[in-house]
């Protein structure tokens, strides 16, 4: 039933996720097919062609299950707000047919995990099998405590319960949200394959801080034998444009950091609408509209193709007309075109190969690294003045260059 992409029954020599680009599909804000103002599974299925066009490798679906894995009934079903189980299975089937992997968030209540008995471990296992049997390529454990010792012990219990299940499904993986303290406490990865580290999403647009965080994340990943994961969107899912100051400068900085993250070895996680350069729509608090806002697809007025009816789940600004997929798709200078070209090069160009990063000396406020052995050079100018470009042929730039110089708030790939 619903076999994953390329699942031949034997574990691949190199796991498919090691350099994959995941696109986080926040179903409620992605596409509304039934007109109730809330995005749903059928809406996401109807927009799969866009994700193919964008060039990502996998969908990361959030909040699909109706309840945590520890619930033996609702933990094995789809949240009814999003649709029926049949809609989920159709989405997975069509994603696989399009060459896309599917990862799903599964939640777990850590206060219950700490008290699990043997039979309750069987409950976790069977809930995990329920989703894997429907063709899911990876599970990401969400809603777990974020630090090592004693709470981390609960997470270890959960992962140890799930690891044997995953082992029965060759080519599938399990991920977990990790914070920096875990890397000090964990000397092995206890059966998980992807550690989603959000440090980059908390980093300021500062070359020194960025270099330090990237260096530490690479070292942590190397120690544990797992790929690094680069997620620029913050933990509250505020769009990078807003996090970096908004306006023209915020957009330029977000575009520049996109090239930095996509130029690094490992996994990249994109958030819904990040590739459009969207500013945040709300506060991101529990009592207000989510910070990311609905996905604007087409047209000149809200809801910009998100829903077949006017209005919707929460207000959309009329100023988003210039951010729609339709408006950006044929514009070679748009943020969407930048992401599409970067993802194409990342997938096909031999310069973007290799698991090592070598740092170069760079002017104050700048950073430069080379992928090895691929030989791509990525340079970022986070200062306030233009600087001389490193040697090499320009492959891609996040903004217009200035007669052989790299302007502020701009990144470039060279070979």
């Amino acid at each position: 039933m619903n076999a994953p992409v390329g699942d031949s029954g034997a574990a691949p020599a190199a796991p498919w996720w090691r350099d994959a680009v995941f696109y986080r599909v926040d179903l409620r804000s992605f596409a509304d097919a039934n007109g109730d103002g809330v995005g749903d599974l059928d809406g996401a299925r109807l927009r799969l062609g866009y994700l193919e066009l964008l060039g990502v490798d996998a969908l990361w679906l959030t909040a699909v299950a109706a309840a945590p894995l520890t619930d033996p009934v609702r933990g094995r079903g789809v949240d009814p707000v999003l649709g029926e189980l049949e809609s989920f299975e159709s989405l997975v089937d069509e994603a696989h047919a399009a060459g896309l992997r599917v990862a799903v968030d599964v939640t777990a209540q850590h206060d219950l995990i700490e008290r699990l008995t043997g039979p309750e471990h069987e409950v976790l296992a069977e809930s995990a099998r329920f989703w894997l049997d429907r063709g899911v390529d990876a599970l990401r454990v969400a809603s777990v405590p974020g630090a090592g010792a004693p709470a981390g012990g609960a997470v270890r219990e959960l992962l140890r319960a799930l690891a044997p299940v995953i082992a029965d499904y060759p080519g599938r993986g399990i991920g977990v949200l990790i914070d920096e303290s875990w890397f000090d406490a964990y000397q092995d990865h206890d059966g998980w394959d992807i550690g989603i580290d959000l440090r980059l999403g908390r980093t300021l647009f500062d070359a020194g801080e960025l270099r330090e965080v990237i260096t530490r994340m690479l070292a942590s990943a190397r120690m544990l034998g797992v790929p690094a994961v680069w997620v620029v969107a913050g933990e509250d899912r505020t769009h990078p444009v807003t996090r970096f100051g908004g306006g023209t400068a915020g957009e330029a900085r977000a575009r520049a950091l996109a090239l930095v993250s996509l130029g690094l070895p490992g996994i990249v996680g994109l958030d819904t609408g990040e590739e459009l350069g969207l500013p945040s729509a709300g506060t991101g608090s529990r009592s207000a509209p989510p910070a990311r806002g609905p996905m604007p697809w087409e047209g000149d007025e809200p809801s910009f193709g998100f829903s077949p009816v006017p209005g919707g789940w929460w207000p959309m600004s009329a100023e988003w007309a210039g951010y729609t997929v339709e408006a950006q798709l044929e514009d070679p200078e748009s943020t969407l075109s930048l992401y599409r070209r970067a993802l194409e090069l990342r997938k096909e160009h031999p310069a973007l190969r290799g698991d090592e990063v070598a740092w170069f000396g760079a002017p104050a406020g700048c950073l430069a690294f080379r992928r090895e052995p691929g030989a791509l050079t990525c340079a970022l100018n986070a200062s306030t003045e233009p600087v001389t470009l490193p040697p090499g042929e320009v492959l891609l730039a996040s903004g217009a260059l200035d007669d052989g110089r790299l302007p502020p708030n701009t990144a470039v790939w060279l070979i």
Side-chain angles (χ1 to χ4, degrees):
M1 179 192 295
N2 300 316
V5 178
D7 189 357
S8 63
W16 60 266
W17 54 80
R18 286 199 67 87
D19 59 357
V21 176
F22 286 75
Y23 187 93
R24 181 181 183 272
V25 176
D26 178 16
L27 287 163
R28 288 162 178 76
S29 63
F30 193 61
D32 169 26
N34 63 9
D36 66 354
V38 180
D40 45 50
L41 290 160
D42 285 334
R45 178 177 55 81
L46 294 172
R47 295 292 185 176
L48 285 174
Y50 168 71
L51 298 180
E52 285 187 86
L53 189 70
L54 179 59
V56 298
D57 302 297
L59 288 71
W60 164 15
L61 302 175
T62 63
V64 174
L69 287 181
T70 42
D71 187 318
V73 178
R74 296 176 64 241
R76 303 173 198 174
V78 169
D79 186 332
V81 172
L82 302 177
E84 303 294 333
L85 181 60
E86 291 77 9
S87 295
F88 177 80
E89 292 176 330
S90 294
L91 173 59
V92 173
D93 281 345
E94 293 190 26
H96 287 161
L100 295 164
R101 305 279 185 168
V102 179
V104 171
D105 268 4
V106 288
T107 59
Q109 295 167 287
H110 65 271
D111 56 329
L112 297 180
I113 296 167
E114 291 173 332
R115 303 191 299 271
L116 287 182
T117 64
E120 288 167 328
H121 276 156
E122 291 161 4
V123 169
L124 277 173
E126 291 309 307
S127 294
R129 289 184 190 278
F130 173 88
W131 295 105
L132 293 166
D133 284 342
R134 273 140 194 89
V136 169
D137 299 281
L139 301 176
R140 194 207 76 155
V141 179
S143 298
V144 296
V155 182
R156 286 189 169 195
E157 283 296 310
L158 170 66
L159 296 172
R160 285 169 178 164
L162 295 182
V165 177
I166 295 291
D168 289 340
Y169 296 80
R172 321 287 182 97
I174 186 167
V176 63
L177 184 66
I178 296 180
D179 73 18
E180 187 173 354
S181 63
W182 274 42
F183 288 112
D184 297 327
Y186 276 45
Q187 297 303 311
D188 59 72
H189 52 84
D190 285 317
W192 48 268
D193 306 292
I194 305 170
I196 303 169
D197 182 343
L198 298 180
R199 273 180 280 182
L200 193 63
R202 298 193 294 265
T203 307
L204 299 176
F205 192 76
D206 176 87
E209 185 175 347
L210 285 167
R211 175 170 173 169
E212 179 182 358
V213 166
I214 291 168
T215 299
R216 292 170 67 184
M217 288 176 66
L218 287 169
S220 298
R222 189 178 302 112
M223 177 187 74
L224 293 172
V226 296
V229 181
W230 311 107
V231 180
V232 175
E235 291 169 279
D236 60 357
R237 300 298 171 190
T238 298
H239 282 302
V241 170
T242 300
R243 182 159 66 92
F244 295 137
T248 302
E251 183 175 345
R253 290 166 181 164
R255 287 167 62 104
L257 195 53
L259 285 198
V260 172
S261 61
L262 288 167
L264 289 164
I267 297 168
V268 175
L270 304 181
D271 201 25
T272 300
E274 180 182 333
E275 77 284 7
L276 301 179
L278 288 174
S280 293
T283 65
S285 70
R286 291 175 182 267
S287 60
R292 69 190 68 84
M295 184 75 168
W297 293 98
E298 60 215 8
D300 299 321
E301 297 179 356
S303 61
F304 299 116
F306 166 72
S307 175
V309 297
W313 183 23
W314 69 86
M316 297 176 74
S317 171
E319 296 177 357
W320 279 21
Y323 291 102
T324 66
V325 172
E326 180 183 56
Q328 296 195 43
L329 199 56
E330 300 303 324
D331 178 3
E333 305 304 319
S334 70
T335 299
L336 176 58
S337 293
L338 175 70
Y339 271 84
R340 289 184 64 200
R341 180 60 175 150
L343 290 169
E344 179 184 34
L345 290 170
R346 178 183 167 93
K347 189 173 293 185
E348 297 179 0
H349 203 288
L352 281 93
R353 300 287 184 270
D355 295 329
E356 299 300 321
V357 166
W359 294 99
F360 293 148
C366 302
L367 64 78
F369 63 84
R370 183 176 64 217
R371 285 280 294 271
E372 294 184 340
L376 173 88
T377 297
C378 179
L380 168 70
N381 183 0
S383 75
T384 59
E385 299 294 333
V387 298
T388 302
L389 280 171
E393 175 188 348
V394 173
L395 192 61
L396 185 63
S398 67
L401 302 180
D402 181 12
D403 192 25
R405 293 170 68 79
L406 185 63
N409 301 329
T410 308
V412 65
W413 287 354
L414 307 106
I415 54 174

